[in-house]
C-alpha cells in the first residue's frame, strides 16, 4: 500500500473511532435510565449544549447512511449504521421509561414521517443518480450544520452565567476530534458535502474549550459555595 493509501486508511479509521466514541456518550444516559427507571435530565428534543438529542441524531445517521450507500463510501456506511442502531436503542429505552409516551411517540412519528417523505423524494422523484447524490448531500450538510450551530444560544447563557456546568468537557473534545477528522476526510475525497458541514463543529468546539478556560469548573464550585 502506498503512502496515500495508508493516509486514507488512517483517516478513515480516525473518523470511525472518534465518531463512534462520540455516539457512545449516550451510554451514560442509558445507564441512568436503567438505574433510576426514569428519564430525568435525559435529552430527547430539541438540541442542547451538553449533547445532541437522540431523535434528530437518528435522522442524521439515516440520512448520511443513505448518502454513503449511494456514494459507495464504506466509512460513512459503517459509522452511520452503528450510530443508527445506537440511537434506536437510546430512543427505545427512553420510550420505555418515559411517563408521557403519547407525546414522545407523536414527536417520533412526525420527524420520521418527514424523513420518509424526504427519502421518497430523493429515491423516486430524482431519477438521475448524480443529481440525487448532490441533493441528498446538500440535505445532509444543512442538517449537520444546524445540529452544530443550534447550541450557540446556550453558549451565550454560559457567558451570562459565567458557569460551564451545562457543558460536557469530554463531549467537547470528542466533537472537536470528530469534526476535524471528517473535515480532513471530506477534503481528502474532495467532497464538500462532508467537509463543509463539519467546519462549524470545529468552530463551536473551540468556543466551548475557550469557555472552559475562561470559566473553569473550580470557579463554578466556589460560586455555588458563596451562593449557599
Amino acid at each position: 500500500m502506498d503512502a496515500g493509501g495508508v493516509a486514507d486508511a488512517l483517516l478513515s479509521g480516525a473518523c470511525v473511532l472518534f465518531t463512534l466514541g462520540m455516539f457512545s456518550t449516550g451510554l451514560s444516559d442509558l445507564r441512568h435510565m436503567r438505574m433510576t427507571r426514569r428519564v430525568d435530565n435525559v435529552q430527547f428534543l430539541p438540541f442542547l449544549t451538553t449533547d445532541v438529542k437522540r431523535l434528530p441524531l437518528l435522522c442524521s445517521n439515516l440520512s448520511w447512511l443513505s448518502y454513503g450507500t449511494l456514494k459507495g463510501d464504506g466509512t460513512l456506511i459503517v459509522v452511520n449504521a452503528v450510530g443508527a442502531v445506537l440511537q434506536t436503542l437510546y430512543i427505545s429505552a427512553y420510550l420505555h421509561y418515559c411517563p408521557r409516551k403519547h407525546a414522545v411517540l407523536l414527536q417520533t412519528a412526525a420527524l420520521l414521517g418527514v424523513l420518509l417523505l424526504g427519502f421518497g423524494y430523493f429515491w423516486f422523484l430524482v431519477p438521475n443518480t448524480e443529481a440525487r447524490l448532490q441533493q441528498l448531500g446538500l440535505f445532509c450538510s444543512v442538517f449537520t450544520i444546524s445540529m452544530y450551530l443550534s447550541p450557540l444560544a446556550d453558549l451565550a447563557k454560559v457567558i451570562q452565567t459565567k458557569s460551564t456546568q451545562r457543558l460536557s468537557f469530554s463531549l467537547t473534545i470528542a466533537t472537536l476530534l470528530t469534526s476535524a477528522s471528517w473535515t480532513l476526510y471530506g477534503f481528502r475525497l474532495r467532497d464538500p458535502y462532508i467537509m463543509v458541514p463539519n467546519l462549524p463543529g470545529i468552530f463551536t468546539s473551540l468556543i466551548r474549550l475557550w469557555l472552559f478556560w475562561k470559566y473553569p469548573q473550580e470557579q463554578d464550585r466556589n460560586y455555588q459555595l458563596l451562593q449557599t
Side-chain angles (χ1 to χ4, degrees):
M1 185 181 294
D2 59 11
V6 173
D8 289 343
L10 290 175
L11 191 53
S12 176
C15 289
V16 173
L17 178 64
F18 294 144
T19 308
L20 294 185
M22 185 176 67
F23 289 160
S24 66
T25 57
L27 292 174
S28 60
D29 285 344
L30 185 61
R31 182 168 59 251
H32 171 82
M33 287 186 285
R34 291 190 62 185
M35 291 179 61
T36 64
R37 305 187 69 82
R38 301 177 64 181
V39 294
D40 298 341
N41 300 322
V42 176
Q43 304 165 356
F44 195 68
L45 277 172
F47 305 109
L48 289 178
T49 33
T50 50
D51 202 351
V52 181
K53 293 296 189 169
R54 299 302 164 192
L55 186 55
L57 188 51
L58 172 60
C59 293
S60 176
N61 287 147
L62 294 175
S63 300
W64 280 111
L65 178 59
S66 298
Y67 181 77
T69 301
L70 189 61
K71 188 179 176 67
D73 189 307
T75 304
L76 282 173
I77 292 173
V78 169
V79 165
N80 289 286
V82 175
V85 171
L86 287 175
Q87 305 315 320
T88 300
L89 177 62
Y90 299 147
I91 291 171
S92 299
Y94 189 97
L95 287 171
H96 178 71
Y97 295 113
C98 179
R100 296 175 287 111
K101 291 182 172 56
H102 181 70
V104 175
L105 284 172
L106 284 178
Q107 291 175 342
T108 304
L111 194 52
L112 292 181
V114 171
L115 191 65
L116 287 174
L117 288 175
F119 285 165
Y121 166 77
F122 288 124
W123 291 99
F124 297 110
L125 299 181
V126 186
N128 184 274
T129 302
E130 187 63 28
R132 185 189 306 160
L133 187 65
Q134 292 178 358
Q135 292 186 28
L136 184 56
L138 181 61
F139 172 81
C140 292
S141 297
V142 172
F143 199 97
T144 301
I145 290 173
S146 69
M147 290 177 63
Y148 278 134
L149 295 183
S150 58
L152 288 179
D154 285 331
L155 294 182
K157 293 180 181 178
V158 171
I159 296 175
Q160 290 177 353
T161 61
K162 298 182 179 181
S163 172
T164 55
Q165 281 190 323
R166 65 176 60 227
L167 300 180
S168 168
F169 185 78
S170 60
L171 183 63
T172 299
I173 296 298
T175 303
L176 177 61
L177 293 174
T178 300
S179 302
S181 60
W182 281 111
T183 299
L184 292 174
Y185 185 77
F187 178 78
R188 181 75 178 176
L189 295 181
R190 293 182 173 83
D191 189 332
Y193 301 120
I194 298 177
M195 180 181 66
V196 173
N198 284 286
L199 291 173
I202 299 176
F203 173 70
T204 55
S205 296
L206 291 176
I207 292 178
R208 292 187 195 186
L209 288 176
W210 177 79
L211 289 173
F212 278 112
W213 172 80
K214 183 71 173 178
Y215 310 116
Q217 296 288 342
E218 186 63 34
Q219 178 176 309
D220 288 347
R221 287 192 288 270
N222 292 337
Y223 178 77
Q224 287 180 343
L225 289 174
L226 289 173
Q227 289 296 99
T228 56

